[in-house]
Amino acid sequence: MGLPLMMERSSNNNNNNVVELSRVAVSDTHGEDSPYFAGWKAYDENPYDESHNPSGVIQMGLAENQVSFDLLETYLEKKNPEGSMWGSKGAPGFRENALFQDYHGLKTFRQAMASFMEQIRGGKARFDPDRIVLTAGATAANELLTFILADPNDALLVPTPYYPGFDRDLRWRTGVKIVPIHCDSSNHFQITPEALESAYQTARDANIRVRGVLITNPSNPLGATVQKKVLEDLLDFCVRKNIHLVSDEIYSGSVFHASEFTSVAEIVENIDDVSVKERVHIVYSLSKDLGLPGFRVGTIYSYNDNVVRTARRMSSFTLVSSQTQHMLASMLSDEEFTEKYIRINRERLRRRYETIVEGLKKAGIECLKGNAGLFCWMNLGFLLEKKTKDGELQLWDVILKELKLNISPGSSCHCSEVGWFRVCFANMSENTLEIALKRIHEFMDRRRRF
Amino acid sequence: MRLIVPLRGVIQGRGGLFVGSLIPCCLFYFLQLYLKRRRPPPSDPTELPRTSSRTNLFSRGNSIGRVRVSSRAVPVAKPSDSPYYIGLERVKTDPYDRIKNTDGIIQLGLAESTLCFDLLQRWMSENLMESMMQSDDGEFNISSIAMYKPFEGLLELRVAFADFMSRIMGGNVSFDPSNMVITAGGTPAIEVLAFCLADHGNAFLIPTPYYPGFDRDIKFRTGVELIPVHCRSSDNFTVTVSALEQALNQARKRGSKVSGILFSNPSNPVGNILPRETLQDILRFAQEKNIHVISDEIFAGSVYGDKEFVSMAEIAGLGEVDKSRVHIIYGLSKDLSIPGFRAGVIYSFHEDVVNAAKKLMRFSSVPVPVQRILISLLSDVRFIEEYMTAHRQRIRDKHIRFVEGLKQLGIPCAESGGGLYCWVDMSSLLTSYSEKGELDLFEKLLTVAKINATPGTACYCIEPGWFRCCFTALADEDIPVIMERIRQLRESSRS
């Protein structure tokens, strides 16, 4: 299956009949040769299973939320006895579904999304359904925004460490560059004004035009919310440089204590000046908070009319199936259900987080103090023989091969400090998590003896 | 900085090399270095001085520069000047309804079929829930539809599609599921192929008249150009090799690099089925010029005439040419009347294209619950046979009625055997045989006769007077209404 890193591009002449592909097709910007994805392959080949394969690889590299499936199942069974909610009954329902391919999206669904997003923020910000543009997942939303906000060879500033997928989603087809805003553990990896200026200057020195800053809040892979002051500084910076601010809030519903999350929407809520507001855009999705990545539902929420119009038209390439919109509209509008779901989901994630962090602590391993997300940011710097990226990858390889745990090395997240790893905990049962912790304990015990 | 070979001294073959050539070169290099350092950085949108008071900054009002979008985004939001889109928008303002709005604008501009909804609806009401909730133990388990699955589509879906496509294309060709990638509709399918086969600034040759949507689908983000290859009514708008050759040569003279040929079969908007020989000619031409062939076969199941539909996959399989240059687009929006579900196919004989397309599907994949419904639907062979037979028959019947109605008005249509529309020659109604005359007629049809039909200009047809009329969303009783309106328009033009 190997896709060569860079194919020979044959010249277009009559004697050579090998037909050429585009630069996009042959580039390796998809990043699937990195350790982030190599670990997944190891998992696919030998997946852990409680009964059938207890010594298999435990997948701790996939940020998927399975802790609240039962809530969804109960709701669907109760409210949707014969699929009536899902469009199997009734003539008008099916007809609309089958033909509907309007890039505006179903109004009821957009209203439901707006309402859900408001609930997650505890009503501290309002969302206008007409500013919601639907895309087939947040991956598509981020790419779409990048096409709209930046031209090829322009750059977005992104704080490190960041989600490895951004290298692909923001750059591959768009031709846009990422310039990192370096963050480190001295202040819990928060973005500083100095780091912002430095990143901006780096781009300038390389003759690259910066079009915006893209943050993830709460952060992936840190598992921590961005402080309100930092958000204000960011907006300040973007106004001064006259650039955009994109906030990917895909984990906003996975913050353990609702009060600890400040959305950029709250900051903008109190601003009347359109020239400030219209540079702010929010990305959201149901893949993490609602645990429905298979449904492919993402959104761009923009305070900029032009961006909303443009994004809508471009969303033709990534429409959300009418069937999906129909299926989820009533569920997301059911405020009693969503309130309960959000509350219980947060609680369960918090407990999982505490379990893993305490378990790691007992093994002598510290994590960054986190308060959100489906993962923790673990510090194994003290275990590295060489405090280099290679040293980190060697340790990662040992963890994969000896402990049979697939975790994500910080270098694949472009972390400027070596030794950090992202460990996901929400895509498995509590038992499996215990087994993973046990393997880590045993590993650390063995190490101590030497 | 350019490298200047100090030639003078070398040529003269003397030691004057140093003085004669090197010094001027050094001076040149230093000059360039000096100029580069002095060159200002790329022009920035207004940068404001830093201020310590945040509230002051946020309340500065108009003195802050308006933030801009990318230059490639600018044309996207502009209102379209294509009659194709203008017509579609106009219908929304005053749509015809048999009961509630008999004076409204009748939509003939959207290639959609509602002729077999009764069958689909019945299937859905009987099977939708089961097909979505299928799991091994029979219990509803949300994880079977909620979790991440490969973006290129479940294997069972690709297998089901491969079988379905083979059936509806006459059974003479088989499709390998591993060459297939499932997309969220035909629109992303064509765009992803364009991204994979051509670089920004390259071009595809495309026979005219062509589907107006291609302008957006291909040009919006890929930067790939479309070069029209004009076809004539004398050939029933079938492309010829000489026309392809001419277009390619002209493109090369202009410095345009052609990466491939894109065409639809059954053709949109004409509705003709490309003969086997034409397909072979196109493929041989592509082989000779070493370019790709993209065959958009999205109407393959909507064939109602006597001509046999032949897929480009069948021709590629004959082994005469390197088939890795052949790529096919398909989807369920037309044949199965479910555009809302968003299900399309890229089928390619080129392994690297399939691999790249798979990875690009993260941006445009089909939701898992919908995939499960489609697996069930496409695998229900008995239902599919029943549906396709009815679908073809009903299109045929409607086509006959529609064309007959026009014939009685003395308005001929091009010969067609597929698609959801016909290609109508309204030149007899033109006030002047020109593009302007055609657009005038389009406007009159829209505002006076209150019919939205897509003019050939929107499809880049070089012969004026042709209109695409989609008839598969019409009830039988709508047809005389349409014909009467056209007749009245003609009467009023004459007087």
Side-chain angles (χ1 to χ4, degrees):
Chain A
M1 212 207 99
L3 184 69
L5 282 182
M6 203 61 196
M7 262 175 61
E8 276 291 319
R9 285 164 62 80
S10 57
S11 56
N12 199 351
N13 60 55
N14 289 346
N15 296 329
N16 187 343
N17 272 333
V18 176
V19 72
E20 252 181 82
L21 298 185
S22 67
R23 276 187 281 271
V24 166
V26 305
S27 106
D28 60 351
T29 314
H30 51 74
E32 291 192 17
D33 304 315
S34 77
Y36 182 71
F37 297 101
W40 291 19
K41 287 181 197 139
Y43 167 75
D44 285 337
E45 282 156 20
N46 181 19
Y48 171 85
D49 181 284
E50 221 158 322
S51 5
H52 305 295
N53 189 16
S55 60
V57 175
I58 299 180
Q59 172 65 290
M60 304 188 92
L62 179 59
E64 208 176 43
N65 182 3
Q66 296 179 22
V67 308
S68 306
F69 270 167
D70 59 314
L71 299 176
L72 291 173
E73 272 167 9
T74 317
Y75 176 81
L76 292 170
E77 272 162 16
K78 201 169 53 155
K79 294 273 180 156
N80 183 40
E82 280 158 76
S84 51
M85 190 178 85
W86 290 13
S88 62
K89 291 211 181 302
F94 170 69
R95 203 182 175 89
E96 274 160 26
N97 259 7
L99 290 181
F100 186 80
Q101 51 171 335
D102 183 351
Y103 52 45
H104 287 80
L106 261 182
K107 179 118 193 178
T108 48
F109 183 62
R110 280 184 287 120
Q111 283 165 339
M113 282 295 287
S115 149
F116 189 64
M117 288 168 76
E118 281 173 4
Q119 271 199 308
I120 285 176
R121 290 157 183 76
K124 287 184 273 179
R126 277 162 300 130
F127 288 93
D128 175 359
D130 290 334
R131 291 196 170 282
I132 288 185
V133 177
L134 300 172
T135 62
T139 301
N142 281 318
E143 194 203 31
L144 202 69
L145 265 180
T146 306
F147 268 116
I148 295 173
L149 306 182
D151 283 309
N153 298 317
D154 287 345
L156 293 177
L157 304 182
V158 183
T160 66
Y162 62 77
Y163 161 56
F166 279 159
D167 285 330
R168 170 198 58 213
D169 299 345
L170 306 180
R171 300 184 319 161
W172 192 5
R173 294 194 289 191
T174 62
V176 172
K177 303 185 194 310
I178 294 177
V179 171
I181 303 167
H182 292 293
C183 304
D184 59 64
S185 58
S186 62
N187 68 340
H188 306 289
F189 295 96
Q190 290 281 331
I191 306 161
T192 63
E194 295 72 36
L196 279 170
E197 280 296 340
S198 171
Y200 189 84
Q201 197 54 46
T202 304
R204 287 280 295 265
D205 290 343
N207 275 345
I208 296 171
R209 188 169 166 189
V210 175
R211 301 308 291 261
V213 176
L214 188 146
I215 63 166
T216 310
N217 177 24
S219 157
N220 174 8
L222 300 177
T225 53
V226 179
Q227 293 163 8
K228 183 170 181 181
K229 182 182 184 311
V230 174
L231 289 175
E232 287 168 347
D233 285 344
L234 266 170
L235 187 52
D236 185 30
F237 176 79
C238 291
V239 168
R240 273 185 295 108
K241 305 294 188 194
N242 197 17
I243 59 179
H244 295 272
L245 176 58
V246 178
S247 180
D248 182 344
E249 302 189 348
I250 197 176
Y251 294 100
S252 46
S254 307
V255 179
F256 310 148
H257 301 284
S259 55
E260 291 179 13
F261 174 61
T262 306
S263 164
V264 73
E266 290 172 48
I267 314 260
V268 173
E269 187 84 353
N270 300 321
I271 296 174
D272 288 324
D273 189 345
V274 170
S275 65
V276 171
K277 282 173 102 123
E278 67 178 7
R279 64 191 69 246
V280 177
H281 323 278
I282 299 177
V283 168
Y284 188 60
S285 154
L286 301 180
S287 300
K288 310 295 180 181
D289 294 344
L290 221 53
L292 298 176
F295 276 51
R296 313 313 303 142
V297 178
T299 107
I300 295 171
Y301 187 88
S302 175
Y303 293 90
N304 184 316
D305 293 345
N306 194 11
V307 171
V308 171
R309 246 192 325 267
T310 309
R312 246 192 227 131
R313 287 202 177 175
M314 269 196 198
S315 68
S316 310
F317 300 109
T318 183
L319 292 179
V320 176
S321 174
S322 58
Q323 183 67 18
T324 315
Q325 294 187 50
H326 195 91
M327 278 164 58
L328 296 175
S330 43
M331 183 169 87
L332 287 184
S333 321
D334 185 337
E335 284 188 12
E336 196 193 310
F337 165 73
T338 52
E339 188 278 326
K340 179 173 141 202
Y341 178 94
I342 293 168
R343 188 175 26 90
I344 297 180
N345 184 50
R346 289 190 204 279
E347 180 55 33
R348 289 181 181 177
L349 288 174
R350 186 188 62 76
R351 271 192 273 124
R352 282 280 175 112
Y353 176 79
E354 276 164 15
T355 304
I356 195 173
V357 166
E358 274 160 31
L360 288 172
K361 200 161 176 181
K362 287 203 186 93
I365 298 172
E366 293 290 325
C367 294
L368 180 76
K369 182 149 168 34
N371 61 352
L374 313 177
F375 32 74
C376 61
W377 189 234
M378 177 172 79
N379 189 356
L380 295 181
F382 67 100
L383 287 179
L384 296 185
E385 282 173 24
K386 289 178 283 163
K387 302 251 186 285
T388 61
K389 181 174 161 181
D390 276 337
E392 181 185 282
L393 288 175
Q394 270 172 23
L395 179 58
W396 169 77
D397 198 50
V398 164
I399 294 174
L400 183 60
K401 301 227 163 73
E402 270 184 43
L403 282 80
K404 303 265 197 327
L405 296 178
N406 177 35
I407 60 180
S408 311
S411 48
S412 61
C413 306
H414 301 275
C415 188
S416 45
E417 277 179 31
V418 291
W420 292 90
F421 291 80
R422 187 190 79 167
V423 186
C424 298
F425 55 70
N427 59 322
M428 60 189 73
S429 68
E430 284 174 16
N431 282 348
T432 310
L433 185 56
E434 292 297 336
I435 307 267
L437 284 169
K438 192 153 131 307
R439 290 183 188 178
I440 294 174
H441 273 270
E442 285 166 2
F443 172 73
M444 292 301 288
D445 280 343
R446 285 200 298 274
R447 279 231 160 187
R448 252 177 245 118
R449 283 187 229 120
F450 289 101
Chain B
M1 291 199 290
R2 270 167 295 148
L3 190 64
I4 297 172
V5 179
L7 277 178
R8 218 176 98 225
V10 173
I11 290 169
Q12 289 177 347
R14 14 187 205 95
L17 179 74
F18 196 85
V19 174
S21 312
L22 203 55
I23 289 181
C25 291
C26 286
L27 286 175
F28 185 81
Y29 286 134
F30 285 127
L31 179 64
Q32 292 232 343
L33 202 60
Y34 173 72
L35 287 174
K36 184 178 179 189
R37 289 229 173 101
R38 279 208 55 196
R39 192 187 309 143
S43 63
D44 254 347
T46 21
E47 172 163 352
L48 298 169
R50 197 181 176 135
T51 176
S52 52
S53 168
R54 188 166 293 111
T55 44
N56 275 354
L57 184 65
F58 286 174
S59 60
R60 243 192 239 197
N62 293 334
S63 60
I64 296 175
R66 297 296 289 270
V67 73
R68 290 200 286 271
V69 296
S70 63
S71 43
R72 60 182 155 193
V74 171
V76 175
K78 284 208 175 93
S80 178
D81 54 3
S82 163
Y84 174 66
Y85 294 105
I86 290 173
L88 292 177
E89 285 304 308
R90 227 50 107 77
V91 173
K92 286 186 198 163
T93 62
D94 182 16
Y96 172 78
D97 184 288
R98 237 158 265 130
I99 301 159
K100 290 181 269 184
N101 188 16
T102 51
D103 286 331
I105 307 176
I106 300 182
Q107 175 71 287
L108 300 183
L110 203 50
E112 267 176 2
S113 171
T114 55
L115 301 179
C116 290
F117 262 2
D118 55 327
L119 299 176
L120 267 178
Q121 210 159 285
R122 194 193 71 212
W123 190 93
M124 291 286 167
S125 62
E126 286 167 14
N127 296 287
L128 190 113
M129 282 309 291
E130 264 172 58
S131 56
M132 216 168 15
M133 307 308 192
Q134 255 165 40
S135 62
D136 302 326
D137 52 9
E139 292 262 310
F140 172 46
N141 184 357
I142 198 164
S143 57
S144 66
I145 54 173
M147 288 164 52
Y148 280 111
K149 291 281 184 262
F151 291 120
E152 69 269 20
L154 297 166
L155 178 60
E156 301 104 298
L157 181 58
R158 286 181 279 126
V159 168
F161 251 111
D163 192 54
F164 175 72
M165 284 166 71
S166 175
R167 266 173 216 286
I168 61 165
M169 293 184 189
N172 292 328
V173 56
S174 67
F175 291 90
D176 180 352
S178 58
N179 287 347
M180 194 181 282
V181 162
I182 313 294
T183 66
T187 302
I190 184 69
E191 197 205 28
V192 164
L193 265 185
F195 265 117
C196 290
L197 306 182
D199 285 326
H200 195 286
N202 290 1
F204 289 147
L205 298 178
I206 182 164
T208 67
Y210 68 78
Y211 161 56
F214 279 150
D215 280 338
R216 283 188 174 179
D217 294 351
I218 293 185
K219 293 185 198 171
F220 255 9
R221 308 192 300 186
T222 68
V224 174
E225 291 298 317
L226 290 176
I227 296 177
V229 179
H230 292 298
C231 305
R232 303 186 175 280
S233 54
S234 49
D235 298 317
N236 199 37
F237 298 99
T238 306
V239 71
T240 62
V241 174
S242 56
L244 285 170
E245 186 84 54
Q246 192 183 39
L248 182 66
N249 290 338
Q250 281 173 354
R252 283 190 175 155
K253 281 205 196 91
R254 283 196 308 269
S256 240
K257 180 169 171 197
V258 171
S259 300
I261 305 166
L262 165 66
F263 63 95
S264 56
N265 177 32
S267 146
N268 179 5
V270 177
N272 57 349
I273 313 263
L274 269 57
R276 186 179 283 271
E277 298 71 41
T278 307
L279 294 174
Q280 282 168 329
D281 287 343
I282 293 174
L283 194 48
R284 263 185 236 117
F285 176 80
Q287 174 77 5
E288 189 194 310
K289 307 294 177 188
N290 196 21
I291 57 179
H292 293 278
V293 172
I294 304 174
S295 178
D296 180 353
E297 303 186 351
I298 204 169
F299 292 99
S302 303
V303 169
Y304 52 83
D306 300 320
K307 287 220 171 62
E308 179 207 8
F309 170 78
V310 178
S311 167
M312 200 40 137
E314 192 186 324
I315 309 291
L318 295 176
E320 290 173 15
V321 303
D322 168 24
K323 62 186 184 185
S324 70
R325 68 184 71 253
V326 176
H327 321 276
I328 308 226
I329 292 191
Y330 187 64
L332 300 179
S333 305
K334 312 295 181 185
D335 292 345
L336 227 50
S337 308
I338 43 174
F341 275 48
R342 313 307 305 144
V345 171
I346 294 173
Y347 188 85
S348 172
F349 289 97
H350 196 311
E351 192 188 335
D352 294 328
V353 172
V354 175
N355 285 337
K358 277 186 184 171
K359 297 185 174 82
L360 286 170
M361 277 310 103
R362 59 189 51 258
F363 301 113
S364 315
S365 64
V366 178
V368 179
V370 174
Q371 289 192 46
R372 299 230 185 262
I373 297 171
L374 293 176
I375 288 169
S376 205
L377 179 62
L378 298 179
S379 316
D380 189 341
V381 176
R382 204 172 50 83
F383 171 75
I384 293 295
E385 292 288 316
E386 183 196 344
Y387 178 92
M388 292 312 299
T389 308
H391 178 69
R392 289 184 180 120
Q393 189 60 48
R394 293 178 192 184
I395 299 178
R396 188 192 178 98
D397 289 344
K398 202 70 75 177
H399 178 251
I400 290 172
R401 276 178 205 267
F402 196 82
V403 170
E404 184 57 37
L406 288 171
K407 192 169 167 193
Q408 283 173 11
L409 291 174
I411 297 174
C413 296
E415 191 191 315
S416 62
L420 309 178
Y421 37 76
C422 51
W423 191 233
V424 183
D425 182 1
M426 303 228 197
S427 49
S428 59
L429 277 81
L430 296 179
T431 45
S432 82
Y433 188 70
S434 62
E435 184 181 314
K436 183 176 183 316
E438 182 187 287
L439 291 173
D440 283 347
L441 178 57
F442 165 69
E443 191 54 42
K444 277 206 229 97
L445 279 167
L446 204 51
T447 44
V448 178
K450 305 197 84 178
I451 291 171
N452 177 37
T454 306
T457 318
C459 310
Y460 301 89
C461 185
I462 50 164
E463 292 178 19
W466 293 91
F467 284 76
R468 186 188 79 166
C469 296
C470 305
F471 52 76
T472 49
L474 300 173
D476 288 347
E477 52 265 33
D478 297 330
I479 296 179
V481 174
I482 293 166
M483 299 308 153
E484 180 56 25
R485 289 185 187 189
I486 296 177
R487 195 191 63 76
Q488 280 185 8
L489 178 68
R490 193 174 54 187
E491 294 304 306
S492 63
S493 311
R494 280 186 189 149
S495 55

